[in-house]
Amino acid sequence: MELIAVKKLEAWFGVFQALKDINLSIQENEVVALIGPSGCGKSTFVRCLNRLHEEVPGARVAGEVWLDGRNIYAPGVDPVGVRRGVGMVFQKPNPFPGMSIYENVAVGLRLGGVSKRTVLDEKVEQALVRAALWGEVKEILKRPGTSLSGGQQQRLCIARALAVEPPVILMDEPTSALDPISTAKIEELIQELKTKVTVVIVTHNMQQAARVSDKTAFFLLGELVEYGATEEIFTRPAQEATERYITGRFG
Amino acid sequence: MSSSSYELGRDVRPSDLTFYYLLKGLAWGLVLLLLAMVGVIFALSWEALSHFGPGFFFDPSWDSWREQFGALTFIYGTLVTSLIALILAVPVSLAVALFLNELAPSWLARPLGFFVEMLAAIPSIVYGLWGLFVLAPFLRDHVQPPLGQYLGFLPLFQGPPMGVGMLAAGVILAIMIIPTIASISREVFRSVPATLREAALGLGATRWEMLRLAVLKASVSGIVGAVVLGLGRALGETMAVTMVIGNRPQIDWSLFESGQTMASILANQYAEADSSLHLSALTAVGFTLFVVSLAINSLARWIIWRMQRVN
Ligand SMILES: Nc1ncnc2c1ncn2[C@@H]1O[C@H](COP(=O)(O)OP(=O)(O)O)[C@@H](O)[C@H]1O
Ligand SMILES: [Mg+2]
């Protein structure tokens, strides 16, 4: 089933147009990788999927993004509500300082108005289990989130995003600041997540895209050049630019 | 911040060496100067301190006729006025800093920020004059009567409204330390990484929730630092306080009453003290002020250090 449909999406930073006429559709429980040279608009694109792009001063969006049958850019839609239903994981692990591991995971639930201790306990544990972190932190839930290692912090951020059980989770180069072992853990995790959520992941690592994703989108200079099954893109790209990029003969 | 020692290499130039020793000498010179100042003040205080013993710090009497001196009244005055100043200034400063950094459009934030920082440049005698001629009458006519009427059951707000007194001193101090606390807090808020704000927004935080989750929580130790710098200024502020506090050495629960701080008693009496014991007692008050400021600063540094270690 189609979960996300992007139609004629355009995005600007002031007068600079970062995305041009993007059209793409994402099915439920798919992992979609976004690849492309840096500066091509991958981050801008994922940030349009949860209306985060518009938080940058001077930034603007046009077009439609249908999420679960609703256009999130329709007039009157509250961006805060949209973001509550979409998880996001960033390039650098960013747990909230001054908050325990537990509180970091619970924060989204609390924003959503959950305050019953038993419910929180259960959902926090669930999210940590799904983020493959529970075993490492179940004894130290009261410690600051920032006291964990980088890889653990990133899984904590994944747990934080998962806690509210969003149908989609956006990841913007989630492993680029991590060591290979932590990276492997997170890639494995993504495979497990996709039984329940749809993952859109930006990566500049082609092997990673090939390993984790079902579909791959190749961006270049703010345009979507090619989108299709990952296997196709990596073995028989239709566009020459795509081939040049994935074979490393770019620029 | 980590202290690092400058390693002198093998073939170092003579001019570099001279410069190195010059800076090193200056740094040590400052330390010696501080120690010498403390030493001199302590020596001058010795007559009073040895005469009255540790009781000096707990004795509320200050009677130059009978030569009975104690610092308690002034310690009380300094702590209470500084506390009033903090209670008023901290929320206002944080609100100003948040507004200027996070909410105000830049065409408004720039001039307003400049204006707030200019408050720090006004000489304290000018604050004192304004306090005496504007603030005190205003408090007497418009603030103290309703305070007495509605909160008069508290001993803090009893007695006739007089304008000048502990409350006026606290309010003046608050205004004087707002620029310090606000401008440092602005720097602290600015240093919160954008990724934290985005983390909060990405979770569906409203603007205010984002400030609470990402900005304020990450800024606690920095804010403590800002507050302590403001407190340091309030503890030692002399001129403006002397002009509005009423200058009566007494401890009274009511904030409407006159009082005296450690700094203001020095400003008031140093020129006219004629016995050596009186003079020494005044110096001992100055010494106490130094110790109290040092203690509060150290405490705050310790708090900041602990919080940074936890994170
Ligand atoms: N805050 C910003 N202000 C102005 N231009 C920006 C900003 N962020 C990104 N851009 C520009 O938008 C384009 C796309 O950026 P981005 O989406 O971050 O690329 P990617 O994630 O693919 O590296 C780049 O040319 C970049 O320079
Ligand atoms: Mg990017």
Side-chain angles (χ1 to χ4, degrees):
Chain A
M1 205 192 90
E2 184 181 70
L3 184 68
I4 302 173
V6 177
K7 293 177 183 165
K8 295 194 173 150
L9 183 71
E10 323 234 298
W12 288 265
F13 291 99
V15 292
F16 173 74
Q17 187 167 11
L19 290 177
K20 293 166 198 153
D21 191 25
I22 309 290
N23 294 281
L24 131 178
S25 142
I26 295 172
Q27 305 296 308
E28 226 171 354
N29 301 351
E30 258 180 359
V31 178
V32 174
L34 310 179
I35 60 171
S38 91
C40 67
K42 306 179 295 291
S43 296
T44 308
F45 178 74
V46 285
R47 293 159 59 91
C48 285
L49 299 183
N50 67 346
R51 296 198 61 171
L52 199 55
H53 177 65
E54 64 208 65
E55 287 294 331
V56 177
R60 201 156 57 79
V61 179
E64 297 172 6
V65 173
W66 293 78
L67 180 69
D68 240 347
R70 184 175 68 140
N71 177 12
I72 62 172
Y73 285 102
V77 173
D78 179 14
V80 169
V82 171
R83 291 179 205 138
R84 289 218 169 134
V86 180
M88 182 143 196
V89 178
F90 299 81
Q91 188 164 353
K92 261 183 69 188
N94 54 3
F96 294 117
M99 257 190 232
S100 66
I101 293 171
Y102 181 97
E103 284 305 326
N104 260 289
V105 182
V107 68
L109 297 162
R110 286 199 199 276
L111 287 176
V114 181
S115 59
K116 243 179 108 187
R117 193 75 200 186
T118 48
V119 181
L120 285 171
D121 284 350
E122 188 194 319
K123 301 241 173 187
V124 166
E125 175 173 348
Q126 233 172 43
L128 284 166
V129 168
R130 288 178 71 198
L133 190 59
W134 177 248
E136 289 155 71
V137 301
K138 64 176 181 226
E139 310 287 346
I140 53 166
L141 290 172
K142 287 211 165 65
R143 291 226 194 120
T146 44
S147 67
L148 297 172
S149 75
Q152 289 174 323
Q153 285 190 23
Q154 194 62 306
R155 277 178 283 145
L156 180 64
C157 293
I158 294 176
R160 181 175 68 187
L162 289 171
V164 294
E165 299 176 32
V168 194
I169 183 159
L170 311 172
M171 299 185 170
D172 191 352
E173 302 194 20
T175 63
S176 65
L178 304 182
D179 61 86
I181 294 175
S182 308
T183 300
K185 274 201 187 128
I186 287 180
E187 287 182 6
E188 198 177 315
L189 175 59
I190 292 169
Q191 292 302 312
E192 281 158 24
L193 287 181
K194 89 175 189 192
T195 56
K196 285 225 183 103
V197 294
T198 303
V199 179
V200 180
I201 177 174
V202 175
T203 176
H204 59 217
N205 177 335
M206 241 83 61
Q207 286 81 30
Q208 181 167 70
R211 278 193 300 265
V212 303
S213 70
D214 304 306
K215 293 233 179 97
T216 295
F218 173 60
F219 282 75
L220 185 61
L221 296 172
E223 289 182 80
L224 177 60
V225 173
E226 191 167 354
Y227 177 51
T230 299
E231 243 191 77
E232 292 282 316
I233 297 269
F234 279 92
T235 53
R236 291 180 293 279
Q239 304 289 326
E240 204 196 319
T242 316
E243 182 176 357
R244 278 218 310 253
Y245 181 70
I246 60 178
T247 53
R249 285 184 286 122
F250 199 82
Chain B
M1 255 166 270
S2 72
S3 66
S4 64
S5 64
Y6 176 54
E7 296 286 337
L8 288 173
R10 284 254 160 248
D11 31 32
V12 64
R13 294 179 198 204
S15 61
D16 278 357
L17 205 63
T18 316
F19 192 56
Y20 172 74
Y21 283 116
L22 181 70
L23 290 186
K24 193 172 180 178
L26 281 175
W28 278 104
L30 279 177
V31 174
L32 287 181
L33 189 66
L34 180 70
L35 290 178
M37 271 166 60
V38 177
V40 168
I41 294 174
F42 187 73
L44 288 174
S45 312
W46 185 245
E47 185 185 348
L49 289 177
S50 59
H51 188 270
F52 297 111
F56 179 75
F57 302 104
F58 307 102
D59 181 0
S61 52
W62 189 265
D63 188 335
S64 48
W65 186 246
R66 290 188 297 116
E67 300 229 294
Q68 181 61 43
F69 299 111
L72 187 66
T73 315
F74 316 120
I75 297 175
Y76 173 83
T78 297
L79 293 182
V80 170
T81 50
S82 297
L83 192 67
I84 299 170
L86 285 187
I87 290 171
L88 297 175
V90 171
V92 173
S93 309
L94 293 183
V96 166
L98 279 180
F99 175 73
L100 292 180
N101 273 27
E102 312 285 342
L103 302 173
S106 68
W107 61 264
L108 183 62
R110 268 163 207 272
L112 267 184
F114 181 73
F115 178 78
V116 171
E117 281 177 20
M118 277 302 100
L119 284 177
I122 299 176
S124 69
I125 184 102
V126 176
Y127 274 109
L129 284 172
W130 179 80
L132 195 57
F133 293 122
V134 181
L135 178 68
F138 178 80
L139 289 176
R140 182 192 60 212
D141 298 339
H142 301 290
V143 177
Q144 292 176 342
L147 273 179
Q149 195 179 344
Y150 296 109
L151 296 171
F153 57 90
L154 295 170
L156 294 178
F157 304 112
Q158 286 169 356
M162 295 192 297
V164 291
M166 300 283 273
L167 185 65
V171 174
I172 267 284
L173 284 174
I175 298 171
M176 294 178 77
I177 65 178
I178 282 173
T180 309
I181 303 180
S183 60
I184 299 175
S185 300
R186 286 187 73 187
E187 289 308 316
V188 172
F189 294 152
R190 242 196 294 268
S191 70
V192 173
T195 56
L196 280 183
R197 296 161 191 266
E198 299 201 321
L201 290 175
L203 281 168
T206 60
R207 188 141 218 100
W208 165 242
E209 287 164 340
M210 183 272 281
L211 293 179
R212 188 167 57 78
L213 289 173
V215 179
L216 287 176
K217 275 241 169 74
S219 304
V220 175
S221 63
I223 291 173
V224 172
V227 170
V228 170
L229 278 175
L231 178 59
R233 183 154 190 224
L235 289 173
E237 173 50 42
T238 309
M239 206 58 229
V241 170
T242 309
M243 290 172 77
V244 300
I245 199 168
N247 298 311
R248 201 175 319 141
Q250 61 173 10
I251 295 182
D252 195 301
W253 270 109
S254 176
L255 302 181
F256 298 173
E257 278 292 328
S258 299
Q260 194 75 284
T261 68
M262 290 188 264
S264 72
I265 185 75
L266 282 173
N268 263 296
Q269 298 198 344
Y270 214 85
E272 57 201 46
D274 35 22
S275 81
S276 83
L277 187 61
H278 188 182
L279 204 57
S280 177
L282 281 171
T283 321
V285 170
F287 182 71
T288 313
L289 175 58
F290 172 76
V291 172
V292 169
S293 306
L294 198 70
I296 288 183
N297 265 296
S298 315
L299 179 73
R301 265 169 210 277
W302 180 76
I303 293 173
I304 294 170
W305 175 78
R306 262 204 39 185
M307 278 189 302
Q308 280 170 345
R309 223 180 37 147
V310 169
N311 273 316

Short mmCIF file of all heavy atoms in Angstrom, two decimals, chain A residues 13 16 18 37-44 56, ligand 1:
data_model
loop_
_atom_site.label_atom_id
_atom_site.label_comp_id
_atom_site.label_asym_id
_atom_site.label_seq_id
_atom_site.Cartn_x
_atom_site.Cartn_y
_atom_site.Cartn_z
N PHE A 13 15.61 27.77 -0.28
CA PHE A 13 16.22 28.52 0.81
C PHE A 13 16.32 29.94 0.30
O PHE A 13 17.19 30.23 -0.53
CB PHE A 13 17.63 28.02 1.13
CG PHE A 13 17.68 26.65 1.74
CD1 PHE A 13 17.95 25.54 0.97
CD2 PHE A 13 17.46 26.49 3.10
CE1 PHE A 13 18.00 24.27 1.54
CE2 PHE A 13 17.52 25.23 3.67
CZ PHE A 13 17.78 24.12 2.89
N PHE A 16 17.25 30.56 -3.40
CA PHE A 16 17.91 29.38 -3.95
C PHE A 16 16.96 28.19 -3.94
O PHE A 16 16.44 27.81 -2.88
CB PHE A 16 19.17 29.08 -3.14
CG PHE A 16 19.82 27.78 -3.55
CD1 PHE A 16 20.52 27.66 -4.74
CD2 PHE A 16 19.73 26.66 -2.72
CE1 PHE A 16 21.10 26.48 -5.11
CE2 PHE A 16 20.32 25.46 -3.09
CZ PHE A 16 21.00 25.37 -4.29
N ALA A 18 16.34 24.49 -3.86
CA ALA A 18 17.09 23.28 -3.49
C ALA A 18 16.44 22.01 -4.02
O ALA A 18 17.12 21.01 -4.18
CB ALA A 18 17.23 23.21 -1.97
N PRO A 37 25.35 13.13 -4.66
CA PRO A 37 26.49 13.90 -4.15
C PRO A 37 26.05 14.93 -3.10
O PRO A 37 24.88 15.33 -3.10
CB PRO A 37 27.05 14.59 -5.40
CG PRO A 37 25.97 14.55 -6.41
CD PRO A 37 25.13 13.36 -6.10
N SER A 38 26.95 15.33 -2.25
CA SER A 38 26.52 16.22 -1.18
C SER A 38 26.10 17.57 -1.76
O SER A 38 26.66 18.04 -2.76
CB SER A 38 27.62 16.35 -0.12
OG SER A 38 28.44 17.41 -0.42
N GLY A 39 25.05 18.13 -1.17
CA GLY A 39 24.50 19.38 -1.66
C GLY A 39 23.41 19.19 -2.70
O GLY A 39 22.89 20.16 -3.24
N CYS A 40 23.04 17.93 -2.99
CA CYS A 40 22.06 17.71 -4.05
C CYS A 40 20.62 17.81 -3.54
O CYS A 40 19.69 17.73 -4.33
CB CYS A 40 22.28 16.34 -4.70
SG CYS A 40 21.92 14.98 -3.57
N GLY A 41 20.45 17.94 -2.23
CA GLY A 41 19.09 18.15 -1.71
C GLY A 41 18.49 16.97 -0.97
O GLY A 41 17.30 16.97 -0.68
N LYS A 42 19.29 15.99 -0.62
CA LYS A 42 18.75 14.81 0.09
C LYS A 42 18.18 15.21 1.45
O LYS A 42 17.06 14.83 1.80
CB LYS A 42 19.84 13.75 0.30
CG LYS A 42 20.56 13.34 -0.97
CD LYS A 42 21.64 12.31 -0.69
CE LYS A 42 22.79 12.80 0.17
NZ LYS A 42 23.67 13.79 -0.44
N SER A 43 18.98 15.98 2.23
CA SER A 43 18.50 16.39 3.55
C SER A 43 17.26 17.26 3.41
O SER A 43 16.28 17.08 4.14
CB SER A 43 19.57 17.18 4.29
OG SER A 43 20.68 16.36 4.54
N THR A 44 17.31 18.18 2.46
CA THR A 44 16.16 19.05 2.25
C THR A 44 14.92 18.21 1.96
O THR A 44 13.85 18.47 2.50
CB THR A 44 16.44 20.01 1.07
OG1 THR A 44 17.69 20.65 1.30
CG2 THR A 44 15.35 21.04 0.95
N VAL A 56 13.71 26.52 8.89
CA VAL A 56 14.87 27.33 8.53
C VAL A 56 14.38 28.71 8.10
O VAL A 56 13.47 28.79 7.27
CB VAL A 56 15.67 26.68 7.38
CG1 VAL A 56 16.84 27.55 6.97
CG2 VAL A 56 16.13 25.29 7.78
N1 LIG C 1 20.27 26.63 5.66
C1 LIG C 1 20.54 26.74 4.35
N2 LIG C 1 20.54 27.96 3.76
C2 LIG C 1 20.80 28.09 2.45
N3 LIG C 1 21.09 27.06 1.63
C3 LIG C 1 21.13 25.83 2.16
C4 LIG C 1 20.85 25.61 3.54
N4 LIG C 1 20.95 24.28 3.79
C5 LIG C 1 21.28 23.71 2.61
N5 LIG C 1 21.37 24.64 1.63
C6 LIG C 1 21.69 24.38 0.22
O1 LIG C 1 20.70 23.56 -0.32
C7 LIG C 1 21.26 22.57 -1.14
C8 LIG C 1 20.82 21.20 -0.68
O2 LIG C 1 21.31 20.97 0.61
P1 LIG C 1 21.08 19.61 1.38
O3 LIG C 1 19.68 19.22 1.24
O4 LIG C 1 21.60 19.78 2.74
O5 LIG C 1 22.03 18.62 0.56
P2 LIG C 1 22.50 17.14 0.93
O6 LIG C 1 21.81 16.72 2.18
O7 LIG C 1 22.14 16.35 -0.26
O8 LIG C 1 23.97 17.22 1.07
C9 LIG C 1 22.76 22.75 -1.08
O9 LIG C 1 23.16 23.42 -2.25
C10 LIG C 1 22.97 23.62 0.10
O10 LIG C 1 24.06 24.47 -0.11
#
